[in-house]
Amino acid sequence: MNERSSHGSNVFATPATRHLLGVQGMHPSRIMPILDLAEHYALLNRSRKTPRDLLRGRTLINLFFEDSTRTRTSFELAGKRLGADVVNMTVASSSVNKGETLLDTAATLNAMHADLLVVRHAQSGAPALLAQKVQASVVNAGDGTHEHPTQALLDALTIRRHFGTFEGLTVAICGDVSHSRVARSNIHLLTALGCQVRVVGPPTLVPGAIGALGVSIHHTMEDGLRGVDVVMMLRVQRERMKGTQVPSAREYFRFYGLDNKRLALARPHALVMHPGPMNRGVEIDSRVADSDQSVIREQVEMGVAVRMAVLDLLARGGEGA
Amino acid sequence: MKPTVFENVRLIDPASNTDRPGRLLVQNGVIAGTDAPQAEGMPDGADVIDGGGQLVLCPGLVDMRVTIGEPGYEYRETVLSAARAAVAGGITTIAVLPNTSPTIDNPALARLLRARGEETGMIDILPYGALTRECAGKEMAEIGLLAEAGAIAFTDGPHAIADSRMMRQMLTYARGFNALIVQHPEDPSLARGGCATDGELATRLGLPGIPAAAEAILIARDLRLARMTGGRLHFGHVSTAEGLDLIRNAKADGLRVSCDTAPPYFDLNETVIGDFRTYAKLSPPLRTEADRRAVSAALADGTIDAIASDHMPCDADDKRQPFAVAAAGGTGLCTLLAVTLAQVHAGHLGMMEAIGLLTHRPAAVLGSKAGTLAVGEPADLCLFNPDTAWVVRAGDLPGKAQNTPFDGRALEGRVLGTWKKGVRVFGAQAA
């Protein structure tokens, strides 16, 4: 059974695209088929009829060097719903400190004959380093402050489901842009798809050079949210709010938190998004997070679908698509 | 020891402003004289090296900023492997940074390094003394005793003296010995945790940035302290337009200050780090194209006193890491001359100026007599063909360390022979 026959060519069919390490430079002609296939899987997920023979005999290893429950679970479900054998390896940084280098890990994984490797790492570029050394296809599940490609794809899918298009949309990405891989991947992807992207946050959390990625920079929510179609909030780590970059959580919420008053500056029916986990009362008010405009739970649902699409395309990348 | 005659060579000796065709005679390990290309007479039984009219003979190069692994990190580089890499690059004198294990903060270690250099028979080692004990920036090292033991100047190597009061004390105290202090010009608190120059590329790659201004900020502070104390100050591997402007102005004001740079800063820019290429992770980090051009211009206008290799050996395990945690530094001994000649071939720098920056000018900064073709001086010589093309290949470099930021770079200019005290130590017939 080929569930994908109606979904065009395989965008991961060439050796150069054996991995998904980032979305920077990805052309819409590669993005759209992934979203189309993910849309298809979203429907199958709801009807509980996913093709569990699709990845039978394939091994997916979730290799997480950083704590993550959501992303790991999402990938795990995606793999299992397509019939892959899924193994979770949570590699505490302590074992790396014991002398096991990333490349030792790569050699171990090669010996295990994994087909798909989903990697989360605290260092930017670590999945790319692994990808050079392993036979498996590598999916970047977030590396340092570099990229989180599947998050950007699921965000794009969520946006497309509501607006039907990306052309002419304005998206505000708000919060700790400096330390956010989600922000970078979304900037690359959404600008490639034709959105106008704004970044909003205090100057200590928005790198000046981000403007070179084709976004406009705003330092007040009032300025940044006016007339936008999508408000994408970012998580702010509590350690940033201890006086070095932001004086306090209380001050942050006062000036940069998303509440109903600020949301009213956006267009009516603007979407509220958040990659999770949320800091309620710090970057987002509970009333906004739980409002009808919030699509935060839908993002989680689309996350599984997008990851199924990516795993499917990568696992079968070499099969005469 | 048989005499050696270099015939039909282009003699370049910037110390005496010489650039002409001619002959050079070596007897008993010293330079016995130079004369015209077709001069009469030849010592009995002399070895003749014929340059065919196109080979350049210049003083053995003086590299004033080299890190070696010995003592303590011999798996990266030993004195012997560094010597082999140096002579392959035409270098016969190296000034070695003190941040080894143990640190060169006691006189016996300074003497040991000098002796280890002599044992190789290939190079002279001029050891830097640590400026502070263990290069930790807290307590002054024994500058007087280290100087007596042959320390050529004082530095904490890749660590800047962060504390202004400490730096003031160091400059003041060192003045009593007329000792030179060499500073790594980077404000440590601004650089903490960073690994690439702040800007679009670092932002895009998600790498923690170091503002380029971290260099100018420390240079500005130290120039002011040098003015206050009268101390002698040198800045290593200067890499930004702003930092160079400050030094240029200070020199114009008559301050006793000097600086060097390293080939990556005038030949490469930050884009080389591309997809997290750790061989291009250096300290200071590679800069923008505008800064690269400014460094190139400062070589030509005399602001920069020397080109040093900034050789920093790392082994594969140091570099096969995610970019932010990989070791910083690149090898530079055997590429020093050829990358400098790229500036000559591009028309940015005269041949005489280029060779001067690699020979007598760094020697003058360090107070060494090396780097000239003067009669009676030891015959430390470098013979090279300025036009031979070659490609740098990590893995094929002489010596132990292979972590070159110039991997894949096509260059023109190849060392064909190196002589130490009249003995051929690199090239065909090398001992």
Side-chain angles (χ1 to χ4, degrees), chain B residues 62 64-65 185 215 219 233-252 257-267 284 287 290-310 336 340 343 348-350 352-365:
Chain B
V62 179
M64 69 176 295
R65 191 180 183 88
E215 181 174 277
I219 288 175
L233 180 61
H234 178 92
F235 295 107
H237 47 211
V238 180
S239 60
T240 64
E242 202 182 352
L244 288 161
D245 285 345
L246 288 166
I247 293 165
R248 190 178 288 118
N249 294 337
K251 284 182 164 193
V257 60
S258 55
C259 69
D260 67 71
T261 192
Y265 303 112
F266 56 76
D267 194 73
R287 306 299 193 185
D291 278 330
R292 187 198 67 78
R293 286 170 189 254
V295 174
S296 173
L299 290 172
D301 72 16
T303 302
I304 294 173
D305 299 274
I307 297 171
S309 71
D310 211 1
L336 175 63
T340 301
Q343 292 288 300
H348 300 317
L349 196 60
M352 179 88 91
E353 288 73 24
I355 302 300
L357 285 160
L358 296 169
T359 55
H360 82 106
R361 291 185 69 194
V365 169

Side-chain angles (χ1 to χ4, degrees), chain B residues 25-355:
Chain B
L25 171 64
V26 175
Q27 276 182 310
N28 301 320
V30 299
I31 295 168
T34 59
D35 55 16
Q38 305 302 330
E40 300 277 314
M42 179 74 70
D44 288 340
D47 283 332
V48 178
I49 311 280
D50 191 330
Q54 62 173 23
L55 301 189
V56 174
L57 186 71
C58 71
L61 310 187
V62 179
D63 186 349
M64 69 176 295
R65 191 180 183 88
V66 177
T67 302
I68 52 176
E70 197 172 331
Y73 305 100
E74 286 81 356
Y75 69 94
R76 291 177 175 168
E77 190 90 277
T78 62
V79 167
L80 193 59
S81 69
R84 289 200 179 110
V87 297
I91 300 161
T92 51
T93 303
I94 61 173
V96 171
L97 294 176
N99 51 304
T100 45
S101 178
T103 307
I104 311 304
D105 59 4
N106 79 61
L109 287 167
R111 288 194 184 93
L112 174 75
L113 271 180
R114 280 198 175 249
R116 295 285 289 115
E118 280 170 29
E119 281 169 22
T120 67
M122 294 187 267
I123 51 166
D124 283 327
I125 289 183
L126 307 177
Y128 282 103
L131 194 50
T132 64
R133 285 181 199 277
E134 298 182 354
C135 293
K138 298 274 190 292
E139 302 167 60
M140 219 179 273
E142 296 164 314
I143 287 179
L145 294 173
L146 282 161
E148 274 184 343
I152 194 86
F154 298 86
T155 180
D156 275 358
H159 312 293
I161 302 291
D163 186 86
S164 303
R165 177 191 289 255
M166 187 67 174
M167 189 64 179
R168 178 190 178 181
Q169 303 285 49
M170 302 295 327
L171 284 162
T172 305
Y173 184 76
R175 196 183 63 211
F177 299 95
N178 197 28
L180 177 71
I181 288 182
V182 177
Q183 174 76 302
H184 167 72
E186 184 175 63
D187 182 298
S189 61
L190 286 171
R192 195 181 307 126
C195 60
T197 301
D198 247 352
E200 180 191 344
L201 186 73
T203 302
R204 191 187 293 274
L205 293 174
L207 294 173
I210 301 172
E215 181 174 277
I217 286 167
L218 204 73
I219 288 175
R221 181 200 76 172
D222 285 356
L223 288 173
R224 188 66 192 81
L225 289 171
R227 198 181 297 279
M228 184 193 296
T229 58
R232 285 176 62 212
L233 180 61
H234 178 92
F235 295 107
H237 47 211
V238 180
S239 60
T240 64
E242 202 182 352
L244 288 161
D245 285 345
L246 288 166
I247 293 165
R248 190 178 288 118
N249 294 337
K251 284 182 164 193
D253 286 350
L255 200 65
R256 285 202 301 176
V257 60
S258 55
C259 69
D260 67 71
T261 192
Y265 303 112
F266 56 76
D267 194 73
L268 304 173
N269 64 28
E270 63 181 356
T271 59
V272 177
I273 69 175
D275 295 328
F276 306 103
R277 278 188 56 208
T278 58
Y279 276 13
K281 182 185 175 181
L282 306 175
S283 172
L286 289 169
R287 306 299 193 185
T288 60
E289 175 62 9
D291 278 330
R292 187 198 67 78
R293 286 170 189 254
V295 174
S296 173
L299 290 172
D301 72 16
T303 302
I304 294 173
D305 299 274
I307 297 171
S309 71
D310 211 1
H311 179 77
M312 172 72 211
C314 300
D315 82 339
D317 289 344
D318 298 323
K319 285 290 192 181
R320 282 183 190 153
Q321 303 267 5
F323 194 90
V325 292
T331 64
L333 292 167
C334 60
T335 47
L336 175 63
L337 177 64
V339 180
T340 301
L341 288 176
Q343 292 288 300
V344 177
H345 293 307
H348 300 317
L349 196 60
M351 180 66 93
M352 179 88 91
E353 288 73 24
I355 302 300

